[in-house]
Amino acid sequence: MAVSLVDEVRAAVTALKRASDPVRAEGMAGYFHRDKSLRFFGIKTPDVRGLERNLWSGVRDGYDLGDALEFADRMIKRPELESKVFAFARLHRFRKRFSSSITTACT
């Protein structure tokens, strides 16, 4: 990986913060009111995927499944729903490399 994991996570979170919509975030928080640990940037899922796509173009050379798993692990641990969506969008790029036991367990 050409970009460090810390820098990649920082870039992803920065992009999410820049795209945030506080009004939408408040509405999302109301919908998920039972989970007080979950936070929101207020970004629509297609827009989160677009942010991931934009950042992917800068890191994809030399990137492998291990890098994607490390990145996803850090992003999923963040409290914001959109960070988790971003992580799964990145993992989706490597879906053909998952073992059949993983993909069978997920269906």
Side-chain angles (χ1 to χ4, degrees), residues 25-95:
E26 187 176 327
M28 293 169 77
Y31 185 77
F32 290 94
H33 66 278
R34 292 185 185 197
D35 188 348
K36 300 296 183 196
S37 65
L38 198 56
R39 302 285 180 256
F40 306 92
F41 287 118
I43 308 169
K44 295 177 183 179
T45 298
D47 295 335
V48 174
R49 288 193 300 249
L51 293 171
E52 187 279 331
R53 188 172 34 257
N54 290 341
L55 289 176
W56 173 247
S57 65
V59 299
R60 68 178 168 207
D61 293 336
Y63 206 93
D64 62 24
L65 177 59
D67 296 328
L69 289 169
E70 287 183 47
F71 174 78
D73 183 59
R74 295 209 184 177
M75 291 294 284
I76 288 168
K77 289 177 181 174
R78 294 189 53 84
E80 308 90 8
L81 178 66
E82 295 89 344
S83 295
K84 299 167 192 330
V85 171
F86 198 111
F88 285 107
R90 178 61 51 87
L91 287 176
H92 186 259
R93 294 184 178 283
F94 293 88
R95 66 194 175 279

